[in-house]
Amino acid sequence: MSEKRATIRRSNLLGMLISAYQDAFLTMPADQNRERTEVQSRSIVSVAYLHASKSLQIEYLSGWIYEARNVPAALYAQLMQDDDFDRVFYTQIQNKFPMDRIGRLWPVCGW
């Protein structure tokens, strides 16, 4: 194998390793790591609501943080006051608001 070809393969391998590391251990940027409220849920650990941007950040058991945009403050209040957090979240927020994965905190369950 030529030296040039070996270098290309090494750089591809390095890129894959860096990507895998970032997926596994990437933590939230400091400006996204807001104070969170723990919740009683089967799959969600905590949430944070950002009034300025009307965004709801959701921390799952895996440590991944997702952000739902344009969530009305009244819906967030209803979510936090209802006895069944999961029912309100899964019926009124998930799949009804644009949601992006924005980072990862250290995983709670080791995934």
Side-chain angles (χ1 to χ4, degrees):
M1 174 183 331
S2 73
E3 182 64 32
K4 183 176 182 180
R5 193 170 205 183
T7 302
I8 291 171
R9 285 194 177 162
R10 275 189 293 244
S11 68
N12 287 344
L13 179 60
L14 180 60
M16 290 186 319
L17 289 172
I18 289 170
S19 178
Y21 173 81
Q22 289 173 335
D23 283 347
F25 299 109
L26 181 68
T27 58
M28 294 289 295
D31 63 332
Q32 294 293 329
N33 193 7
R34 309 285 182 185
E35 185 175 325
R36 304 183 183 291
T37 303
E38 289 185 10
V39 296
Q40 295 294 318
S41 170
R42 292 181 301 274
S43 60
I44 298 171
V45 175
S46 67
V47 296
Y49 186 74
L50 310 172
H51 290 277
S53 61
K54 294 184 180 179
S55 60
L56 176 66
Q57 291 183 356
I58 303 104
E59 176 191 359
Y60 286 90
L61 285 172
S62 64
W64 286 112
I65 303 292
Y66 285 77
E67 186 171 77
R69 298 182 309 276
N70 301 317
V71 177
L75 182 54
Y76 170 69
Q78 177 187 354
L79 175 70
M80 298 309 289
Q81 292 172 357
D82 201 288
D83 291 338
D84 191 351
F85 179 91
D86 285 338
R87 181 185 58 80
V88 174
F89 178 77
Y90 290 111
T91 60
Q92 297 189 33
I93 295 175
Q94 189 181 39
N95 299 324
K96 296 197 179 198
F97 292 92
M99 195 175 292
D100 297 311
R101 185 166 73 178
I102 60 171
R104 188 173 196 186
L105 297 174
W106 288 104
V108 175
C109 295
W111 285 293

